[in-house]
Amino acid sequence: MTAVQGVQRLCMPGGQVQTIEIASLDGDQVVVLQDIERLVPEAFKVSLEYQGNPIDLVKGSDGQLVRASPEETWNVVYIDRSDIKSYLERFAASIYAHKNEQASSIKQDLHRVFQDMQAKLEKCYLDHQENMKFDKDSMLVQEKIKSLQEEGLTLIGEIQVMASKILLQTLELHEYTVPRLFIVLPKPIGQWDKFTTPFRHQFRLFFLCEGCGCIDSDHPNEIHLAIHQGYDLVRPMEFFEKYSSYVLTLLKTIKYGIRFSGVVVTPLAQFRLLEDLKDVRVGLDLANNTAGFLIEKAIEFLEEKVRLADGCDNSTGMAVPEPLEGVELRQLESFLNLIDEDRAFGNLCRIVTDEGHVKWVCRKYYQRMHGEAGRISMVQLEDHIQKRKGTLDQNLRRAEVKISSRSDAIQFYDILSKTKGLVELSICLDWNAMAEDLMALDLAVSGTEITHLTIDGRKIERRLPGGGRYTSHRFNPILELLSRRRIRSLTLDGFTDFYFRLKDSCILEYPQLRVLSVDSNVHSTSPKSRFNKFLLSCPNLTKLTLKCCQLPEVFKYFEENAPRFRKLETLTLESHDLSIIVSLFDGEMVTVTGILRSCQRMMSQDLSFLFSCCFTKFTVHWDSSPTMKPIPLEEFMERNSMLEELDIITPLSCYESLLLRIISATWSPALSRILLSNEGIDNKSTLVTVALSPGGDFRDITTDIQMQPSEENGYLWAIFEQYGHTIRRLVTNEQLQDDHLLQLSAAVKRDGSKLTHFVLNTNSLEAPGWNAIHDILGGSPKLEHLHLVFQALHRKDQRDLARDLLDIYGSRITGLSLGGEPVVTWNDGYQEILAMQKKLTGLDTFKLTCNTPQQLFYDHARLIAAVLSPPKTEDDARPSVRVLSSVLSPRSTSTFYVAATSSPRDAIYPEMGLPGLPPSALPTHITSSPLMNRPHNCGLKVLCLEHVEFEPQGWEVILKALDLTVLESLSFRGTNFDRPELRLLLDRIPDDNSFVPFKDLNLAHTKLAQDEEKDSGNTRHTLMRMLKEKSKYLKISGLE
């Protein structure tokens, strides 16, 4: 049916004339009867007449139709609801009068009327059913909405409870050296991240200001994002394992918003997060995403991490987080790529509230709070302290200073009393301070905001010049200082007779004190002793450190009186050779950790104390003196029934005997792990980890070995032979012998291998050791890192071995170090090895070090550059026949072939002449080892070129080969690297503010380091500043 074609006039029963639209259907003009019926809603039956004759109806798809006649005026006739009765009466009268035709017509009219009524009733019924269904669906929707509202309220309630544990936590100043509120948000993934990160998403950490009123808000304590570009995470996997639940709670708090106890977090819809903060936008993909989207992605990621880690099965995916302790906050710094030279975390400063609590707020608020006078006083204090070689950290508001005389102290106290904002002071009284000197310190500190005080009193004399002992109450001013109830943390170093020089009547109660450390002898622990009175006057201590010689007596005191210190969390007792760290909860000892630094001065009474003390963890430094009476280690392990972990730090000479004693000993049932460690020059390295089952039975053993100078490697023979299969990390040096590898190979064949990290130095190896290398590598399915070190490539046998290893394992070598005599080694060895660079597709570390300075040419630089550029395709990495021209090897008169098409070893061995190493000696399972199936790396991460000199063109080709989207460390120590090379390196770094992982640059003893900077327009300082601006995480060493 098409558009309107005109109107049809209708004459209604009352005489009025109406019109109705005419439509076109298949070329005919028609009127829909249903449209006419709408004009008379009171009718049951409608019919049309013209000049007394009925008008015929036609059935159509849109109902009954009437052919229209626009020039005619139709009469509308209908049966009203009130006329049905008269119709029935007329029908009955017609029957009685035998007017059959009239009766039949009336009957047909009534039949049509009732059919129409039935159709309308059915339609009403269907409409009623539809309405009921709609009402039911509406009720379901309302119930769903109500359920979601209840779930939302429950979720917000849970978030508020969990957030309150974090936001209302009161940390002490010594614990609060890093801001406690932070979130993580996704950042764009760069080319470097795609290859080096285990995560599909990358994140940046942003600190939160704890409310300073610096943003447009109705509440001065509103928490908001710090104005800072944030920090990249160094070890994201470790970070999320440790902090995921904590960060998830803070992110959900920001998403929904909370308000309680003076703390306000605005909901996400109103939260001034990223869009309005220019500094925060750096490094985040806000061009394509909103702040809300970034938070949602972070929450989604962290919920999955929490669910997998904790097995959380609730609908919110949230585990109940514990507020971070001081040590966890301090560990946070190790996960961040800090780019702030002044260590200003997120441009935040630390303040102390009137209640003594610590907050981190925006720097602008801190400066506004203290005003210009406070800034000037802080500058004056800093100048005074620096003249005395002290330090002042304005971000942490912490000062350290040494005062050498009473007159010097008077000047310092005068400036200190005028300083606003300092909260932590460490002062060394470097003279024999008397009571009046301590009283002056008390008056100076009490007028400041200092809450954490450390006093070094080692120069305070114990005895009079004639030899008698001081009996005065010299240290009463310290009690007076505590009584002012401002100091919350006090450390007293070198106060040998502190308790002896106190007056009983001056010991009051100090409820504000949370942290106390005292270095003093304890003459008595009886209930009437000043030691007991003083400790009981500090009922709210959470951390207590006591340094004394009477450690057994003091430990016994706390065993008996621990319930009186219900708020104490950590107790540390220290003597010359022994430290005990006790963790407490609600007045009960939970864990006891002992550290024995020397066994030589241990007496019988000390041993009895060690046996009677229930340690849960114990560390002992094992002495190797032949005159020392050995400690009954087996008895100690058996009698300490609560001992869970034992760490023995031992010289390498005692390693084998101690391991045998441990394995054959009887352990306590609780013991689960024993560590054998070696304390070297730089740090402590774990040698052996013995894991035990819950019942005390031997379960597993793992060994880490880093070879020492020759006189300290005697223990290796027995370890390789008996426990070679337990070695996980093996770092060798030039002292490695064939017999070592043969013993290790036999152990691997017999018992398997745990080897994951292998640094192989081939300097002293011959043919027997070469066979063993293949057995070890082929039998180590967990090997992930293989680093080869060649220091004698001027020898033909070493060059042959190098070619053999690179040919077989080249694609899986992760590190390569070349060294030795410069001239001979280069011409006879380096070129042949570097020419195989296409096989080194997995290389991430390359080191070239000459013993003395060596001049290298452009062709040499091209070979090195080829090593720095990894093959682009798999075809480039496949073995192929390569010819090394004699141009690159002036001393070589023959062509050298590297690799073969089908059997590389068959092509190499005729020229190598390796005795006792036929092709069949290669283990058949080498090619199927997981070592051979590790994914290729994307480029070099570490490059060391030391004691070599290149022409300018050589430096250019090397520097242009570097991939700075991957490179992390560079060392040009002892080279002719100068300003032109530095400028070229600077130009290689992109200018688009993209992330560059470049972290370390060593320029010691280079030409640049000796530069006198004669050209002021192109100085070293300017270039270095520009380099640091491009590589924000770069640390440069070797320049004065």
Side-chain angles (χ1 to χ4, degrees):
M1 195 173 294
T2 59
V4 176
Q5 301 293 319
V7 294
Q8 177 69 50
R9 292 191 302 276
L10 301 175
C11 181
M12 306 306 292
Q16 69 273 24
V17 178
Q18 295 191 15
T19 61
I20 191 169
E21 295 176 347
I22 300 174
S24 176
L25 178 64
D26 298 333
D28 296 330
Q29 293 182 333
V30 295
V31 175
V32 181
L33 182 63
Q34 188 176 0
D35 293 339
I36 300 175
E37 290 177 345
R38 292 193 184 99
L39 299 177
V40 281
E42 68 277 10
F44 276 113
K45 171 65 178 174
V46 175
S47 60
L48 300 173
E49 295 180 353
Y50 177 66
Q51 295 180 356
N53 299 317
I55 299 175
D56 296 331
L57 302 178
V58 180
K59 289 186 178 181
S61 59
D62 295 330
Q64 291 183 315
L65 307 176
V66 185
R67 288 186 176 87
S69 297
E71 67 279 1
E72 299 175 351
T73 300
W74 294 343
N75 294 321
V76 178
V77 181
Y78 64 89
I79 302 175
D80 192 273
R81 291 183 175 87
S82 59
D83 292 340
I84 295 178
K85 183 178 180 181
S86 61
Y87 258 84
L88 294 175
E89 291 176 349
R90 287 171 54 198
F91 175 73
S94 299
I95 294 296
Y96 288 123
H98 301 286
K99 296 180 180 181
N100 296 331
E101 292 182 1
Q102 184 178 358
S104 178
S105 176
I106 294 173
K107 180 180 177 182
Q108 291 177 358
D109 289 342
L110 285 173
H111 182 69
R112 286 195 295 270
V113 167
F114 284 110
Q115 282 184 336
D116 291 342
M117 290 177 62
Q118 184 177 3
K120 290 180 179 180
L121 286 174
E122 290 178 354
K123 186 176 183 302
C124 290
Y125 175 76
L126 292 175
D127 291 342
H128 176 67
Q129 292 289 89
E130 188 68 24
N131 290 335
M132 290 184 62
K133 182 180 179 182
F134 177 77
D135 292 341
K136 185 177 181 181
D137 292 341
S138 299
M139 292 179 63
L140 291 176
V141 171
Q142 291 176 358
E143 291 177 359
K144 184 66 175 178
I145 293 174
K146 183 179 179 181
S147 175
L148 291 175
Q149 289 176 340
E150 292 176 352
E151 290 180 5
L153 292 174
T154 302
L155 176 60
I156 294 175
E158 292 176 355
I159 292 174
Q160 181 163 330
V161 170
M162 289 184 286
S164 64
K165 295 182 66 175
I166 296 174
L167 299 178
L168 297 183
Q169 180 192 19
T170 58
L171 293 178
E172 303 304 324
L173 194 64
H174 75 282
E175 302 175 309
Y176 210 0
T177 57
V178 177
R180 61 172 174 160
L181 301 184
F182 52 88
I183 60 174
V184 294
L185 294 174
K187 69 164 191 172
I189 300 179
Q191 186 70 21
W192 178 74
D193 300 313
K194 293 179 181 178
F195 293 99
T196 59
T197 175
F199 291 109
R200 184 165 49 91
H201 303 291
Q202 285 292 290
F203 293 88
R204 287 176 70 84
L205 182 141
F206 296 88
F207 288 109
L208 301 178
C209 171
E210 297 181 41
C212 61
C214 67
I215 64 172
D216 298 332
S217 173
D218 297 332
H219 201 288
N221 291 326
E222 180 176 339
I223 293 174
H224 64 91
L225 204 68
I227 305 175
H228 190 269
Q229 64 266 34
Y231 302 92
D232 285 318
L233 298 178
V234 177
R235 304 187 306 281
M237 184 178 296
E238 229 178 295
F239 173 85
F240 286 118
E241 288 178 357
K242 192 173 188 67
Y243 301 104
S244 55
S245 295
Y246 184 84
V247 177
L248 180 59
T249 298
L250 289 176
L251 280 170
K252 290 199 172 184
T253 301
I254 289 174
K255 177 180 178 180
Y256 296 104
I258 59 172
R259 182 186 293 260
F260 63 92
S261 301
V263 178
V264 176
V265 180
T266 307
L268 176 61
Q270 308 169 22
F271 192 67
R272 283 195 54 192
L273 188 62
L274 301 176
E275 288 85 351
D276 298 335
L277 301 179
K278 181 178 179 181
D279 290 343
V280 180
R281 298 173 64 91
V282 178
L284 290 178
D285 189 13
L286 290 179
N288 302 318
N289 302 300
T290 64
F293 177 79
L294 294 177
I295 289 182
E296 289 290 350
K297 295 296 291 183
I299 290 176
E300 178 183 339
F301 174 82
L302 289 172
E303 282 182 338
E304 180 66 14
K305 293 290 295 181
V306 171
R307 186 185 66 81
L308 294 176
D310 299 334
C312 183
D313 57 357
N314 58 23
S315 58
T316 62
M318 293 185 65
V320 180
E322 290 296 328
L324 297 182
E325 301 295 336
V327 63
E328 294 173 305
L329 285 171
R330 291 189 291 273
Q331 289 175 354
L332 176 65
E333 183 178 352
S334 66
F335 292 99
L336 306 180
N337 258 330
L338 297 178
I339 59 177
D340 306 300
E341 295 183 358
D342 56 355
R343 292 169 49 81
F345 297 103
N347 285 328
L348 299 177
C349 294
R350 187 174 59 164
I351 65 170
V352 179
T353 65
D354 294 336
E355 296 80 14
H357 301 156
V358 185
K359 292 175 63 176
W360 284 81
V361 297
C362 292
R363 189 188 295 270
K364 291 182 180 179
Y365 171 79
Y366 169 78
Q367 294 171 348
R368 185 172 70 248
M369 181 177 66
H370 294 287
E372 183 65 17
R375 187 190 66 82
I376 294 175
S377 65
M378 190 67 76
V379 171
Q380 293 176 345
L381 179 65
E382 183 176 18
D383 181 64
H384 186 86
I385 289 176
Q386 288 180 348
K387 289 180 180 179
R388 286 150 183 80
K389 298 182 179 180
T391 60
L392 175 64
D393 189 330
Q394 294 198 31
N395 293 309
L396 297 178
R397 303 167 70 194
R398 176 172 59 194
E400 296 182 12
V401 65
K402 178 187 288 188
I403 307 297
S404 58
S405 65
R406 178 176 297 175
S407 59
D408 194 12
I410 292 175
Q411 297 179 19
F412 175 72
Y413 295 157
D414 180 59
I415 298 176
L416 180 66
S417 61
K418 300 175 183 178
T419 303
K420 302 296 182 183
L422 193 68
V423 296
E424 189 172 356
L425 174 64
S426 177
I427 182 171
C428 175
L429 305 180
D430 199 27
W431 83 99
N432 185 23
M434 306 301 288
E436 53 267 29
D437 299 314
L438 296 176
M439 190 175 300
L441 175 63
D442 165 33
L443 294 176
V445 171
S446 60
T448 67
E449 300 176 16
I450 294 173
T451 60
H452 288 60
L453 178 64
T454 298
I455 306 175
D456 188 340
R458 291 184 178 89
K459 289 296 184 71
I460 299 177
E461 298 178 0
R462 296 180 58 193
R463 299 187 179 276
L464 295 168
R469 189 183 232 179
Y470 282 104
T471 57
S472 65
H473 300 142
R474 181 184 292 194
F475 299 140
N476 281 345
I478 295 178
L479 298 181
E480 183 68 21
L481 179 62
L482 290 176
S483 66
R484 302 180 191 277
R485 300 197 174 185
R486 178 77 184 177
I487 300 299
R488 299 170 65 87
S489 174
L490 177 65
T491 300
L492 303 175
D493 289 332
F495 285 69
T496 309
D497 294 327
F498 175 73
Y499 309 107
F500 183 75
R501 290 165 150 190
L502 297 178
K503 187 176 182 180
D504 289 340
S505 60
C506 291
I507 301 177
L508 305 176
E509 188 167 323
Y510 315 111
Q512 85 287 351
L513 197 61
R514 298 291 189 274
V515 180
L516 176 64
S517 176
V518 181
D519 179 7
S520 173
N521 290 324
V522 178
H523 301 285
S524 173
T525 59
S526 66
K528 295 184 178 181
S529 66
R530 292 170 186 167
F531 169 79
N532 179 61
K533 291 182 179 179
F534 178 69
L535 291 185
L536 294 180
S537 69
C538 309
N540 296 321
L541 285 176
T542 60
K543 184 177 182 179
L544 175 62
T545 302
L546 300 176
K547 302 176 182 178
C548 59
C549 298
Q550 301 79 16
L551 193 145
E553 292 83 355
V554 175
F555 182 81
K556 184 178 180 181
Y557 167 83
F558 280 99
E559 278 188 316
E560 297 173 352
N561 294 276
R564 307 178 74 174
F565 300 91
R566 291 194 172 275
K567 294 189 177 181
L568 190 61
E569 298 174 359
T570 304
L571 169 66
T572 303
L573 306 177
E574 297 184 2
S575 65
H576 293 295
D577 303 313
L578 180 64
S579 296
I580 298 177
I581 303 172
V582 183
S583 174
L584 302 97
F585 177 76
D586 197 24
E588 294 184 2
M589 293 185 177
V590 180
T591 62
V592 181
T593 301
I595 303 175
L596 180 60
R597 286 177 287 274
S598 176
C599 303
Q600 292 186 1
R601 291 187 293 269
M602 292 296 292
M603 303 298 180
S604 57
Q605 61 269 25
D606 297 326
L607 287 176
S608 62
F609 167 66
L610 293 181
F611 290 153
S612 62
C613 183
C614 292
F615 293 101
T616 55
K617 181 180 179 180
F618 196 79
T619 299
V620 56
H621 291 249
W622 198 264
D623 298 310
S624 58
S625 173
T627 59
M628 184 195 72
K629 182 179 179 181
I631 293 180
L633 181 63
E634 294 82 356
E635 183 180 358
F636 174 80
M637 294 167 60
E638 184 177 2
R639 291 180 58 177
N640 275 272
S641 59
M642 303 297 293
L643 188 64
E644 298 176 358
E645 182 175 318
L646 176 62
D647 186 356
I648 304 175
I649 302 174
T650 173
L652 294 175
S653 57
C654 303
Y655 173 83
E656 182 183 356
S657 60
L658 276 175
L659 183 58
L660 294 175
R661 289 178 64 181
I662 289 173
I663 293 178
S664 60
T666 302
W667 306 306
S668 65
L671 193 59
S672 61
R673 190 169 67 160
I674 303 175
L675 304 178
L676 273 181
S677 307
N678 172 45
E679 190 163 21
I681 298 175
D682 297 327
N683 54 12
K684 185 185 78 170
S685 59
T686 301
L687 295 175
V688 175
T689 300
V690 179
L692 309 175
S693 62
D697 298 327
F698 175 80
R699 186 178 66 192
D700 193 15
I701 183 171
T702 302
T703 307
D704 292 342
I705 293 178
Q706 181 163 354
M707 292 185 65
Q708 306 295 322
S710 57
E711 62 273 11
E712 299 185 12
N713 286 323
Y715 74 101
L716 288 179
W717 302 102
I719 296 304
F720 280 166
E721 181 179 4
Q722 299 181 36
Y723 306 104
H725 64 285
T726 70
I727 298 175
R728 176 181 56 189
R729 185 177 183 271
L730 177 58
V731 180
T732 66
N733 58 18
E734 64 276 1
Q735 304 299 326
L736 182 69
Q737 303 294 324
D738 290 338
D739 290 343
H740 289 136
L741 293 179
L742 290 173
Q743 290 175 332
L744 181 59
S745 172
V748 170
K749 288 180 179 179
R750 182 181 64 249
D751 303 313
S753 173
K754 294 182 179 180
L755 197 62
T756 61
H757 187 107
F758 191 13
V759 178
L760 175 61
N761 190 307
T762 66
N763 188 56
S764 301
L765 299 183
E766 296 181 357
W770 302 344
N771 285 316
I773 291 175
H774 294 300
D775 293 333
I776 295 169
L777 296 181
S780 302
K782 297 181 181 179
L783 186 61
E784 297 178 356
H785 302 282
L786 176 60
H787 189 129
L788 301 182
V789 181
F790 301 107
Q791 294 179 320
L793 290 177
H794 59 282
R795 291 163 35 193
K796 184 178 183 303
D797 62 332
Q798 285 291 302
R799 295 198 302 274
D800 294 340
L801 175 60
R803 290 198 306 266
D804 185 26
L805 293 177
L806 265 63
D807 184 63
I808 299 173
Y809 306 103
S811 63
R812 295 308 165 205
I813 294 173
T814 59
L816 180 63
S817 296
L818 305 179
E821 296 296 330
V823 179
V824 177
T825 303
W826 177 264
N827 292 314
D828 291 342
Y830 286 172
Q831 294 186 112
E832 297 181 1
I833 300 306
L834 294 178
M836 303 179 69
Q837 50 84 17
K838 284 195 175 182
K839 293 183 177 293
L840 304 176
T841 56
L843 198 68
D844 59 29
T845 301
F846 178 70
K847 299 180 180 181
L848 175 63
T849 305
C850 294
N851 295 340
T852 57
Q854 169 67 33
Q855 176 69 44
L856 301 181
F857 301 103
Y858 179 70
D859 290 334
H860 305 152
R862 288 183 60 190
L863 280 177
I864 294 174
V867 175
L868 308 185
S869 303
K872 302 301 181 183
T873 64
E874 289 291 331
D875 293 336
D876 292 334
R878 292 174 183 170
S880 60
V881 178
R882 298 199 60 223
V883 179
L884 181 62
S885 171
S886 59
V887 176
L888 301 181
S889 181
R891 295 192 177 188
S892 177
T893 58
S894 62
T895 303
F896 174 68
Y897 293 92
V898 181
T901 54
S902 59
S903 178
R905 295 174 53 84
D906 293 340
I908 294 175
Y909 278 109
E911 298 185 46
M912 293 172 61
L914 300 182
L917 190 60
S920 59
L922 182 65
T924 57
H925 58 282
I926 286 181
T927 56
S928 62
S929 169
L931 174 66
M932 308 300 292
N933 297 316
R934 289 178 61 247
H936 288 175
N937 209 327
C938 62
L940 211 64
K941 295 181 182 178
V942 179
L943 172 63
C944 294
L945 299 177
E946 299 183 352
H947 301 295
V948 292
E949 296 182 357
F950 296 99
E951 300 170 344
Q953 297 86 347
W955 277 116
E956 182 178 0
V957 72
I958 288 175
L959 294 175
K960 286 186 176 180
L962 296 177
D963 185 357
L964 292 176
T965 64
V966 179
L967 189 70
E968 298 179 6
S969 177
L970 266 179
S971 176
F972 295 134
R973 181 184 179 88
T975 67
N976 62 338
F977 186 91
D978 204 355
R979 284 177 294 175
E981 289 73 42
L982 180 60
R983 187 183 296 106
L984 182 58
L985 178 64
L986 184 63
D987 293 340
R988 295 280 295 124
I989 302 176
D991 296 320
D992 56 359
N993 292 324
S994 59
F995 175 73
V996 177
F998 195 15
K999 298 179 183 178
D1000 297 296
L1001 176 61
N1002 187 348
L1003 299 175
H1005 306 295
T1006 59
K1007 188 176 180 181
L1008 180 67
Q1010 303 167 3
D1011 187 4
E1012 298 295 335
E1013 302 187 36
K1014 296 180 181 179
D1015 184 3
S1016 60
N1018 188 23
T1019 63
R1020 182 181 70 184
H1021 175 76
T1022 302
L1023 292 173
M1024 287 299 172
R1025 178 179 55 79
M1026 295 172 63
L1027 184 61
K1028 288 186 176 181
E1029 288 177 356
K1030 281 191 170 185
S1031 304
K1032 298 184 187 260
Y1033 308 113
L1034 180 63
K1035 294 182 180 179
I1036 302 174
S1037 59
L1039 297 180
E1040 298 298 336

